[in-house]
Amino acid sequence: MSPARDFEWQDRYEAVIGLEVHTHLATESKLFSPAPVRYGDAPNHAVHPIDLALPGVLPMLNDRVIDLAIRFGLAVRGEVNPRSIFARKNYFYPDLPKGYQISQFEDPVIIGGSVQIALEGSEPRTIHLTRAHLEEDAGKSIHDPALAGSDASLVDLNRAGVPLLEIVSEPEMHSSEEAGAYLRALRSILRYIGVSHGDMEKGQFRCDANVSLRRIGTQQLGTRTECKNVNSFANVEAAIDAECVRQAEVLDDGGDVVQATMAFDPATGRTRVLRLKENSDDYRYFPDPDLVPLVIAAERIEAVRRKMPELPDEKHARFQADFALSAHDAGILTGSRELGDFFEAVVVACEAMGTDAATRAKAVSNWVLRDLLRILKERDLELEDAPIEPQALASLICLVDAGRLTVKSAQQIFPDLVCEGGDPVQMMTAQGLEAVSDSGVIEDAVARVIEANPDAVASFREGDQKSINFLMGQVMKRTQGKANPGQVRELLIQKLS
Amino acid sequence: MSDIREALGSLAAARAALDAGSLSAADLVEAALTRAQDHAALQAVVGVRPRHARDEARASDERRAKGERRSLVDGIPMLLKDNMVVAGEATTCGSRILEGFVSPYSAGVVERLQSAGAIVLGRTNMDEFAMGSSTESSCFGAARNPWDPSRTCGGSSGGSAAAVAAGIVPAALGSDTGGSIRQPAGFCGVTGFKPTYGRVSRWGLVAYASSLDQIGPFTRSAADAAALLSVIAGHDPRDSTSLPVPVPDYAAALTGDVSGLTIGMPRECFVEEGVEPGVLESVREGVRELEAAGAKVVEVSLPHSRYAIATYYLIATAEASSNLARFDGVRYGHRAEGATDIDDLYRRSRSEGFGAEVKRRILLGTYVLSAGYYDAYYKRAQQARTLLRRDFDEAFAKCDVLVTPTSPELAFPLGEKNDDPVRMYLSDIYTVTANLVGVPGLSVPCSPAAGMPVGLQLLGRSLEESTLLRVADAFQRRTDHHEKRPPEPV
Amino acid sequence: MSRISRQEVDQIAQLARLSLSDDEAAAMERDLERILEYVAALETLDTEGVEPTAHALQLATPVRPDEACEPMDPELALSNAPEAAGTAFVVPKVIDEEGR
Ligand SMILES: [Mg+2]
Ligand SMILES: [Zn+2]
């Protein structure tokens, strides 16, 4: 890959990118078998005779996937197909025990829909979805010479039959950044609505990228290639960039891009041809005669709609309107469902404790965006795994609000509160951090500071307002930061005027 | 006729002997095992489970001693076609590809039989993967007709038909995809019943063509069929195509009264051309018997029935080509030695494991589903199925039951049709329609022709098994064809 | 006019993972030709506007609740395996890893 060409292909070509995402649905059991959906078991420890395709077994649909599919359809504002059909996709592969995959072909469960993406510095865009359909995952072929010898592979069917939603986008993205933004937005939606855990490391969210180039100024789509099973956001973006460069080189040399399935090698940063698309890919789809059509009544869709959780973009708008947050702050707070829920829970708890309504949301968002996220990042902790309760942060904010705790002391307590949990009142007492509001102690400190700092006193009296801050700092120092700053300020001004 | 031979001759006789205490379940099992051996030349039975059968018989006898009886079939030995799995037992479907396979689970019908106290004695011979009409394509060799061992017993459930005809057991189960219960029942002179599609669970039935397959009983009489069907019928939550409807009391339907019923004779099924002499005359005589019993007879038409065989072979082979993909030598069954790569393993295991007829149907099914042919063949066949269903709806608006010959021929000599697949396929000309439209069908023996049994087929509306059983039972109350027994082996 | 060619027989045999000897392939070509000839009767049928029937059944979609069962004892799951290593099935090396 020559850097010069890498730099310039975009001057001549426009990338056209469509993505196919396979996401595991959040169920207890498999799509057509009651075997548990589990990750990390030893081979064939989570299987049922159905997953082994033993002679005589039959598929029976998992009821929950219907609701999850509907929920996704509503979230992306697609059409829930009232009658979708399970079809067999026939091919031989050792991790495909039946010799066919049960999928949906002509009549998918969700038709259309869209996802909003926003890239920094450009207008938000709508990426349209072609469809989303239900299908079963395959098992795994393990190529480990240590286990199987160099001329054999192992077959583990634990994953065989795990429910998947395959979400197919229209070819509407034009850069790897847009593709990455789409994938993040899609994963966020899936996690928000509880349809998928979307854990990429567990293979719960996998992406195939269809990429083609066309000369700028033309409408004719070029021949596309498909990069299979790229397993992280960064790799998807890198794979698309690498494939665009490769295709540009082929086209620049006067060649034709050949329709093929590509593999991306993260080690080299390059794509290579895995297999040419030939007519041998004859999957002989036909309606699965072991199953009847998936009929979804309008009432069921309505029932799911009534229980729909709020979507990221809805929450984003509401946070701006209800809490007077900036688009930016609201964007971060709604970036994950856990963070947005935590924020709201703290606000609600503050309200119950009677914090001042005007400053409440601002204070909470400051604590969350500034302190909480920093601490989580420093400690490499996920919010879900952090012991802090929303109630505890609310009570900390109330202590500050009531003058019982200075901001400084509160910040001193906060990391422990996040990482170990606990009650701020107890922590404050135990660490002797309660703000001093005993006027005798403060008056004494003020008198000593005035006495010890004649220069600062003089310049204040000459009209230098800043020197009051210096004097205040001195008083705080004397009281180990525990004096109520408002009270100190008031006293100082009173004594000096 | 000895008592024990009498008792193994029908469910009613076996039950009577058990109830009277003249025979125990253990006696029945021993006698059935002995008879299976005596009739070994028929190659009807391909495997028995004597130890388990004896244990189950003892348990049944103990229950009976305490005055308990689980059902009308408690303590009675039965045989299953070798395509229904039994936990801990071999299932081969008559194919080398399942050599060595032992099922870790039991079929829905097996669970029902066992919880009713029936004794699963063993497995019967069949055409490989139920693909055939003569039980000649089995890896165990051809089963033979007890009435004339030089002839076929029909198929694909030929072993079950022959075993009941020969009185090895009072009843057996078969499966019927295009006539595989009814045609061998007709050839062997027993009662064979294919219930409505979805009436009996397919869980644990090794699939041939999923949208057509249905399990049903082989018995001496319609009354026996009613007793056995009430044990095996009913909803199974593991089978998406199992009907979630209650099972009526079939025995209560056997009133002997057919007055007020209308019997339709499809004109297309009574054309002499292509039908062996004597067959139509026997069936017409049977119809006259029903008329004499008070039924009204009308002529009806099934104009699309001439497309039925073509429609059936396209649909059945398409489904089969996919259903049989799982036999790949990876997880169970035959695996070829010395394969160099995975594709080589697949090709060699499957080519060694499957017989010629199975390969032929897999290839045909693969062809009709492949790109470019789907619409011309598979989709067109599904449309023809719709037209055929409309024919039946119209016919059943005019009558309650249809009557036809079961087969256009008598049991033919072994080997006669092996070189001609299309001729073999035409053997199912009267039976495939019931599978395509899902309705129940039953074959009862009518008067023999040329010394061989002839089957009279009754077809009913969906879920109206009771009506079919009532008509068949009324017929059998007036005739004794079903009571005739083939000669004992010398 | 022939309805199926030897080349098509070879193609579908490959799709179905069956290997046929020359004699077998020739016999299959002949048999399939005859069968296709016979089923060609359907071509005369007017199916304009006729809905296909995949099943004789008209059923509401059957489902099971999303409850996980105890998985199979792995030993039982592997009990029929022609070749196993630990609790995995063994096959000849699979080359085309994710190429589907
Ligand atoms: Mg795809
Ligand atoms: Zn997919």
Side-chain angles (χ1 to χ4, degrees):
Chain A
M1 153 175 30
S2 79
R5 282 176 143 172
D6 190 4
F7 177 71
E8 68 191 21
W9 68 265
Q10 289 147 71
D11 298 341
R12 297 185 301 288
Y13 302 104
E14 179 185 44
V16 178
I17 301 159
L19 298 176
E20 289 174 22
V21 165
H22 284 87
T23 195
H24 277 184
L25 296 174
T27 57
E28 298 294 317
S29 61
K30 295 183 178 178
L31 181 55
F32 293 112
S33 104
V37 172
R38 293 199 306 225
Y39 299 85
D41 278 344
N44 300 304
H45 278 59
V47 297
H48 181 273
I50 294 173
D51 309 313
L52 298 178
L54 290 182
V57 297
L58 295 168
M60 178 57 74
L61 181 63
N62 182 335
D63 191 33
R64 180 156 169 79
V65 302
I66 303 173
D67 283 346
L68 296 181
I70 296 170
R71 221 188 268 177
F72 176 76
L74 295 174
V76 297
R77 294 174 183 84
E79 183 202 333
V80 178
N81 194 342
R83 189 173 186 275
S84 61
I85 307 285
F86 288 107
R88 293 182 181 181
K89 179 182 182 179
N90 295 284
Y91 65 91
F92 283 88
Y93 204 76
D95 61 22
L96 188 75
K98 294 189 293 297
Y100 57 84
Q101 177 195 32
I102 306 179
S103 180
Q104 296 187 310
F105 184 55
E106 279 182 354
D107 301 286
V109 68
I110 303 296
I111 302 161
S114 64
V115 170
Q116 307 292 321
I117 60 169
L119 285 183
E120 285 237 18
S122 42
E123 285 294 296
R125 281 196 63 207
T126 298
I127 305 299
H128 293 94
L129 304 182
T130 314
R131 58 186 278 160
H133 66 253
L134 293 165
E135 63 184 25
E136 11 169 48
D137 207 343
K140 281 182 184 159
S141 306
I142 308 163
H143 320 286
D144 184 346
L147 291 170
S150 56
D151 53 357
S153 297
L154 301 179
V155 178
D156 168 16
L157 299 173
N158 286 343
R159 198 182 65 181
V162 169
L164 286 171
L165 192 65
E166 176 175 340
I167 303 157
V168 183
S169 85
E170 291 288 305
E172 290 182 344
M173 285 152 279
H174 301 297
S175 67
S176 59
E177 293 80 18
E178 285 190 348
Y182 165 81
L183 291 175
R184 288 186 181 86
L186 186 63
R187 181 167 168 272
S188 166
I189 292 169
L190 289 164
R191 288 166 56 95
Y192 246 85
I193 58 179
V195 163
S196 175
H197 301 304
D199 186 334
M200 297 177 90
E201 278 171 17
K202 289 183 181 163
Q204 291 171 338
F205 187 87
R206 313 195 292 265
C207 177
D208 303 340
N210 293 303
V211 177
S212 66
L213 295 186
R214 69 175 159 211
R215 276 207 182 268
I216 284 175
T218 63
Q219 283 306 303
Q220 178 81 38
L221 283 173
T223 303
R224 62 172 211 194
T225 61
E226 186 176 20
C227 296
K228 276 285 184 190
N229 272 326
V230 202
N231 290 337
S232 76
F233 292 135
N235 281 347
V236 174
E237 296 188 25
I240 290 170
D241 284 334
E243 182 56 15
C244 287
V245 169
R246 190 192 70 84
Q247 290 188 17
E249 285 176 0
V250 170
L251 295 172
D252 282 347
D253 293 344
D256 290 319
V257 173
V258 182
Q259 212 187 339
T261 301
M262 312 295 295
F264 174 68
D265 181 356
T268 63
R270 307 195 62 148
T271 53
R272 68 185 160 87
V273 174
L274 202 56
R275 199 170 52 117
L276 295 179
K277 290 258 178 198
E278 285 161 353
N279 297 335
S280 63
D281 298 336
D282 187 342
Y283 292 124
R284 290 157 286 137
Y285 282 99
F286 74 110
D288 191 329
D290 283 330
L291 293 162
V292 300
L294 169 52
V295 175
I296 301 178
E299 297 79 60
R300 181 152 189 182
I301 300 172
E302 282 318 304
V304 173
R305 195 193 302 276
R306 281 194 297 274
K307 287 193 234 147
M308 266 304 266
E310 190 178 33
L311 296 170
D313 52 346
E314 291 168 354
K315 188 170 278 196
H316 186 247
R318 183 169 62 81
F319 275 20
Q320 290 181 68
D322 288 5
F323 304 126
L325 295 175
S326 70
H328 177 263
D329 288 358
I332 298 175
L333 286 172
T334 57
S336 88
R337 183 170 173 180
E338 289 77 18
L339 194 65
D341 287 352
F342 183 83
F343 167 80
E344 280 209 276
V346 179
V347 172
V348 168
C350 281
E351 192 172 0
M353 294 178 195
T355 346
D356 175 45
T359 57
R360 190 190 298 141
K362 184 65 198 158
V364 177
S365 90
N366 278 343
W367 276 100
V368 169
L369 293 175
R370 197 185 50 207
D371 304 278
L372 178 64
L373 291 183
R374 178 178 45 80
I375 292 165
L376 290 175
K377 201 174 167 193
E378 280 167 12
R379 309 289 172 105
D380 195 20
L381 203 61
E382 294 291 327
L383 179 57
E384 304 92 285
D385 304 325
I388 185 171
E389 293 294 327
Q391 187 69 31
L393 177 54
S395 117
L396 190 74
I397 292 171
C398 283
L399 290 173
V400 174
D401 205 37
R404 292 182 62 195
L405 201 56
T406 64
V407 171
K408 199 164 165 248
S409 302
Q411 279 170 340
Q412 201 177 317
I413 291 178
F414 193 55
D416 281 351
L417 201 60
V418 173
C419 302
E420 267 125 56
D423 173 23
V425 177
Q426 274 177 15
M427 291 164 84
M428 174 183 76
T429 318
Q431 297 176 39
L433 291 174
E434 180 152 18
V436 177
S437 46
D438 178 336
S439 42
V441 176
I442 297 175
E443 262 176 58
D444 180 54
V446 166
R448 284 166 186 272
V449 166
I450 288 174
E451 198 185 301
N453 296 284
D455 294 355
V457 170
S459 54
F460 176 74
R461 288 197 169 127
E462 280 156 26
D464 178 7
Q465 293 295 316
K466 273 186 289 178
S467 46
I468 188 95
N469 293 340
F470 170 76
L471 293 169
M472 268 188 73
Q474 293 303 306
V475 177
M476 294 308 283
K477 213 173 185 175
R478 275 197 167 276
T479 56
Q480 286 114 45
K482 293 187 286 188
N484 183 329
Q487 213 177 334
V488 173
R489 192 185 180 89
E490 219 168 276
L491 253 174
L492 269 173
I493 293 171
Q494 191 191 317
K495 297 276 184 212
L496 294 178
S497 355
Chain B
M1 203 186 287
S2 74
D3 286 352
I4 193 88
R5 194 184 154 213
E6 173 79 31
L8 288 175
S10 75
L11 286 178
R15 187 166 61 242
L18 288 171
D19 287 351
S22 58
L23 288 170
S24 66
D27 295 334
L28 290 177
V29 164
E30 291 311 321
L33 288 168
T34 304
R35 283 190 73 77
Q37 284 214 313
D38 294 347
H39 287 81
L42 290 178
Q43 303 210 86
V45 182
V46 297
V48 286
R49 52 197 293 270
R51 202 162 53 85
H52 288 116
R54 286 178 181 127
D55 288 348
E56 288 162 23
R58 196 174 315 117
S60 172
D61 287 331
E62 283 165 11
R63 280 196 295 276
R64 197 173 291 271
K66 285 187 278 178
E68 292 168 25
R69 195 181 67 173
R70 287 190 186 166
S71 77
L72 294 178
V73 295
D74 195 340
I76 301 179
M78 296 184 193
L79 288 162
L80 304 181
K81 187 177 181 178
D82 196 13
N83 60 354
M84 300 168 210
V85 299
V86 180
E89 303 289 338
T91 298
T92 71
C93 295
S95 181
R96 266 201 74 193
I97 203 144
L98 272 171
E99 76 186 4
F101 172 73
V102 172
S103 178
Y105 78 105
S106 286
V109 286
V110 171
E111 292 171 353
R112 282 179 184 266
L113 285 178
Q114 292 183 333
S115 61
I119 293 160
V120 175
L121 191 74
R123 307 174 280 128
T124 59
N125 208 354
M126 59 185 281
D127 277 301
E128 185 179 5
F129 282 102
M131 296 178 182
S133 305
S134 63
T135 314
E136 289 172 288
S137 68
S138 164
C139 67
F140 295 102
R144 290 162 185 272
N145 193 312
W147 292 91
D148 176 353
S150 73
R151 294 175 191 248
T152 157
C153 53
S156 62
S157 315
S160 290
V164 173
I168 296 172
V169 282
L173 295 187
S175 68
D176 187 316
T177 306
S180 283
I181 290 175
R182 292 159 288 159
Q183 184 254 25
F187 279 15
C188 293
V190 297
T191 302
F193 194 5
K194 180 203 93 75
T196 307
Y197 181 78
R199 186 58 111 174
V200 179
S201 169
R202 292 190 298 115
W203 174 256
L205 170 68
V206 185
Y208 159 23
S210 311
S211 78
L212 306 167
D213 295 341
Q214 184 61 199
I215 291 174
F218 285 94
T219 51
R220 188 72 54 195
S221 68
D224 280 1
L228 188 47
L229 186 62
S230 62
V231 171
I232 61 169
H235 181 239
D236 186 337
R238 296 165 297 190
D239 176 0
S240 297
T241 62
S242 165
L243 293 162
V245 293
V247 176
D249 181 353
Y250 294 120
L254 309 178
T255 59
D257 180 13
V258 292
S259 58
L261 281 182
T262 305
I263 290 170
M265 293 173 75
R267 133 177 6 115
E268 295 81 3
C269 302
F270 289 86
V271 177
E272 295 289 346
E273 197 201 325
V275 184
E276 201 166 322
V279 170
L280 288 184
E281 193 33 53
S282 285
V283 174
R284 286 202 184 96
E285 187 195 311
V287 174
R288 284 194 294 274
E289 198 66 55
L290 288 168
E291 205 167 12
K296 192 179 148 200
V297 176
V298 297
E299 192 185 75
V300 295
S301 176
L302 300 171
H304 293 96
S305 57
R306 65 196 182 95
Y307 301 105
I309 290 280
T311 303
Y312 167 77
Y313 276 92
L314 291 173
I315 291 171
T317 57
E319 293 182 6
S321 71
S322 178
N323 283 332
L324 271 58
R326 69 188 57 198
F327 303 101
D328 59 7
V330 172
R331 298 164 313 287
Y332 48 77
H334 176 72
R335 174 184 284 207
E337 302 268 329
T340 53
D341 60 39
I342 186 69
D343 259 5
D344 191 40
L345 177 85
Y346 288 149
R347 278 192 299 263
R348 285 169 55 185
S349 301
R350 289 165 62 79
S351 299
E352 292 169 10
F354 291 137
E357 181 60 24
V358 172
K359 288 180 191 168
R360 199 178 285 129
R361 294 197 197 190
I362 288 175
L363 290 175
L364 178 61
T366 303
Y367 181 77
V368 304
L369 287 176
S370 63
Y373 294 110
Y374 181 89
D375 283 358
Y377 290 114
Y378 188 72
K379 188 168 171 212
R380 208 171 177 79
Q382 301 281 41
Q383 290 172 312
R385 200 172 180 181
T386 306
L387 296 172
L388 205 54
R389 204 179 59 190
R390 289 182 196 161
D391 285 359
F392 271 74
D393 288 346
E394 276 175 44
F396 281 129
K398 299 190 185 96
C399 63
D400 301 295
V401 167
L402 294 168
V403 62
T404 77
T406 303
S407 306
E409 66 216 333
L410 306 175
F412 46 86
L414 289 165
E416 192 186 70
K417 297 186 180 183
N418 281 350
D419 300 329
D420 189 343
V422 172
R423 257 191 80 209
M424 185 73 95
Y425 298 174
L426 289 171
S427 189
D428 296 330
I429 193 151
Y430 297 125
T431 47
V432 294
T433 49
N435 303 83
L436 288 167
V437 301
V439 300
L442 182 150
S443 178
V444 289
C446 54
S447 60
M452 291 300 290
V454 175
L456 176 150
Q457 177 179 237
L458 298 165
L459 301 175
R461 297 188 189 100
S462 270
L463 292 173
E464 291 192 9
E465 283 89 357
S466 294
T467 311
L468 285 187
L469 288 165
R470 171 149 66 110
V471 175
D473 173 64
F475 180 73
Q476 290 178 339
R477 289 185 195 205
R478 300 175 66 93
T479 59
D480 63 356
H481 311 300
H482 63 292
E483 278 163 8
K484 301 215 178 80
R485 304 281 296 267
E488 285 289 296
V490 275
Chain C
M1 194 199 75
S2 105
R3 291 176 184 272
I4 189 165
S5 67
R6 172 61 191 270
Q7 195 204 338
E8 281 179 304
V9 171
D10 292 341
Q11 268 169 16
I12 55 176
Q14 168 54 23
L15 276 177
R17 298 300 187 271
L18 292 172
S19 52
L20 304 175
S21 68
D22 270 0
D23 285 354
E24 275 183 300
M28 284 295 171
E29 185 187 344
R30 193 191 60 225
D31 290 346
L32 293 180
E33 182 68 39
R34 291 206 53 210
I35 297 166
L36 292 170
E37 183 70 32
Y38 177 78
V39 303
L42 277 179
E43 287 167 13
T44 63
L45 190 61
D46 182 8
T47 55
E48 184 71 30
V50 177
E51 273 295 301
T53 297
H55 261 135
L57 294 167
Q58 307 284 322
L59 279 179
T61 312
V63 290
R64 62 174 180 81
D66 179 28
E67 285 157 15
C69 68
E70 260 316 295
M72 272 179 103
D73 175 353
E75 219 165 278
L76 191 61
L78 274 289
S79 59
N80 282 295
E83 198 184 340
T87 57
F89 298 98
V90 175
V91 293
K93 184 145 195 84
V94 181
I95 303 150
D96 178 6
E97 304 138 55
E98 300 278 3
R100 287 156 298 130

